Amino acid sequence: MIKKKSREEIKRMKQAGHIVALVHQEMKKIIKPGITTKYLDDVAMQIIKDNRAIPTFLGYNGFPACICASVNEQVVHGFPLENVILKEGDIISIDVGATYGGLVGDSAWTYPVGEIDDEKKRLLKATEESLFAGISFMKDGNTLDMVGEAIEKVAIREKLGIVRQYGGHGVGHNMHEDPFVYNYKTGYQNTVLKAGMTIAIEPMLNLGGDDVEVLEDKWTVKTIDNMPSAHFEHTVLVTEDEPVLLTTLH
């Protein structure tokens, strides 16, 4: 069942989203060759706590950190570790959630580490474009399949793989609520969007094929062909007018 949010709930989600955006603002500044992904997790944790929020991911089904830090061919759910040191030319996807007043904000972004090659630049640009293409259809009366189709069109145009086992989701009192959002047209994703719904849209696109696998840590997802992957996500409020991004600096 999809839960619409009240004005008060949306207010708290905006604050949670603001805190998530503060984390991303800092990530953009500090990500560079030579730092560890564990350091990024420590910084994110401090920002969330300083803003009187709770790191949503920490302890979620046993997850051991407050961010997911996924490097290069890792798609999602990578552990931040002391022995993972970023190097020139890497890309890193940072996914982070903050809970404020019982409501969740959830957002991901993929960052270049120093100077990256043209193919990785193309991947990041196209995946970010696909996110906003999907978001543009997050309007009262549209269907989720319209959102997925908009994302898929960008991927097809750019000849990028689409991660099909993972996708967007409702978000609010819990990090994962109904509905699940496919990042491609299914032909049956007929859920009609209504004002007051809050949904995380999160395309994950690959420079290679679609296929991914989960590593032995039972969390980290990577591309089977070891090609780089990018991940961009915003929490979005459906209104009767334009969609509202909840995970920005308000």
Side-chain angles (χ1 to χ4, degrees):
M1 176 163 171
I2 303 171
K3 304 168 189 167
K4 292 186 190 177
K5 306 304 186 298
S6 68
R7 189 172 294 176
E8 174 56 36
E9 287 170 326
I10 290 164
K11 189 176 171 184
R12 281 181 276 154
M13 285 190 73
K14 276 188 173 177
Q15 184 57 32
H18 175 79
I19 295 162
V20 164
L22 287 174
V23 172
H24 280 296
Q25 180 179 251
E26 191 62 21
M27 294 293 109
K28 187 176 181 181
K29 286 181 194 168
I30 66 175
I31 286 173
K32 62 182 180 182
I35 64 168
T36 69
T37 54
K38 176 66 168 66
Y39 173 71
L40 297 175
D41 189 63
D42 292 343
V43 170
M45 176 80 80
Q46 197 60 53
I47 292 169
I48 292 168
K49 288 187 170 179
D50 286 349
N51 285 276
R52 305 191 313 280
I54 297 165
T56 312
F57 295 4
L58 183 61
Y60 181 83
N61 290 338
F63 192 78
C66 84
I67 65 169
C68 299
S70 308
V71 182
N72 295 330
E73 73 278 4
Q74 295 175 352
V75 181
V76 282
H77 306 158
F79 291 170
L81 297 168
E82 200 67 65
N83 63 357
V84 176
I85 301 167
L86 297 178
K87 61 184 188 300
E88 186 86 16
D90 285 342
I91 56 173
I92 180 169
S93 300
I94 303 291
D95 193 356
V96 59
T99 304
Y100 181 89
L103 276 297
V104 176
D106 182 12
S107 172
W109 218 254
T110 303
Y111 298 95
V113 182
E115 190 61 34
I116 60 173
D117 65 37
D118 288 345
E119 278 295 272
K120 284 180 178 173
K121 285 178 184 173
R122 183 173 72 85
L123 173 66
L124 268 56
K125 184 170 183 279
T127 310
E128 183 178 349
E129 181 187 340
S130 76
L131 168 65
F132 287 101
I135 288 171
S136 71
F137 283 90
M138 293 285 291
K139 297 176 183 177
D140 188 280
N142 284 349
T143 67
L144 280 178
D145 230 14
M146 294 165 74
V147 176
E149 183 178 20
I151 292 167
E152 184 180 34
K153 279 181 176 176
V154 177
I156 290 170
R157 186 195 77 209
E158 294 295 327
K159 298 182 171 58
L160 297 172
I162 300 170
V163 176
R164 294 174 186 271
Q165 296 94 318
Y166 301 86
H169 51 89
V171 61
H173 290 280
N174 298 298
M175 184 164 61
H176 292 117
E177 297 180 350
D178 289 335
F180 182 81
V181 185
Y182 295 90
N183 288 316
Y184 54 93
K185 181 178 174 63
T186 65
Y188 56 80
Q189 195 176 207
N190 298 320
T191 300
V192 177
L193 295 164
K194 299 290 184 189
M197 291 180 178
T198 50
I199 298 173
I201 303 300
E202 51 177 322
M204 290 156 254
L205 303 182
N206 308 328
L207 270 179
D210 298 350
D211 295 336
V212 298
E213 61 186 352
V214 180
L215 298 185
E216 285 181 9
D217 63 20
K218 303 279 199 295
W219 279 100
T220 307
V221 179
K222 66 171 279 292
T223 57
I224 284 181
D225 59 14
N226 292 316
M227 294 293 280
S229 184
H231 178 201
F232 287 80
E233 173 188 25
H234 270 305
T235 299
V236 184
L237 168 66
V238 179
T239 74
E240 289 175 356
D241 193 22
E242 292 302 308
V244 175
L245 301 182
L246 299 180
T247 39
T248 59
L249 296 171
H250 305 298

